[in-house]
């Protein structure tokens, strides 16, 4: 097990974004795609916003990324409590990921 200590929330988002970009590149090179299950809530929001920044967005092969959700609340996707909505607002609206690569949990059902 590796333990990485960073100086605070901003450094954590930056470090995690670096790892994410590297893992995407490695997975796409090895398998042609990258799949990840995203967490909801407020904790990962800074990471998603960092990935949406021009610096990171340009480094990631979004056409090969498939996003899944690890959890969702039983609300519509536009509800303020929706984990999908949080990811959409902090990441999806700013990156060129194909709609077919977004695999949300249909909490409204």
């Amino acid at each position: 097990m590796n333990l990485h200590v960073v100086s605070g929330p901003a450094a954590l988002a930056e470090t995690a974004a670096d790892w994410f970009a590297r893992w995407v590149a490695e997975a796409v090179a090895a398998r042609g795609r990258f799949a990840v299950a995203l967490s909801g809530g407020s904790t990962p929001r800074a990471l998603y916003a960092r990935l949406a920044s021009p610096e990171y967005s340009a480094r990631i092969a979004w056409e090969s990324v498939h996003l899944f959700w690890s959890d969702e609340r039983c609300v519509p996707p536009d509800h303020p409590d929706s984990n999908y909505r949080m990811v959409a607002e902090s990441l999806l609206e700013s990156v060129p990921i194909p709609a077919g690569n977004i695999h949300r949990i249909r909490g409204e059902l």
Side-chain angles (χ1 to χ4, degrees):
M1 180 167 117
N2 294 322
L3 176 64
H4 297 272
V5 178
V6 296
S7 61
L12 176 59
E14 184 76 18
T15 300
D18 282 337
W19 291 346
F20 188 96
R22 186 181 72 230
W23 294 335
V24 170
E26 290 171 357
V28 170
R31 295 179 295 285
R33 65 182 250 155
F34 175 78
V36 63
L38 302 176
S39 294
S42 60
T43 303
R45 183 187 304 263
L47 166 61
Y48 303 152
R50 191 71 185 118
L51 292 172
S53 72
E55 176 187 350
Y56 282 94
S57 181
R59 289 175 47 192
I60 295 171
W62 292 105
E63 70 280 0
S64 300
V65 173
H66 287 263
L67 301 179
F68 298 85
W69 273 250
S70 62
D71 64 321
E72 182 57 283
R73 296 179 175 102
C74 295
V75 297
D78 59 350
H79 190 278
D81 292 337
S82 169
N83 290 329
Y84 170 81
R85 178 181 172 179
M86 183 275 292
V87 175
E89 291 174 350
S90 60
L91 176 65
L92 301 179
E93 294 172 0
S94 300
V95 298
I97 187 167
N101 293 11
I102 300 169
H103 311 281
R104 74 175 184 89
I105 295 171
R106 300 193 177 278
E108 69 275 22
L109 300 179

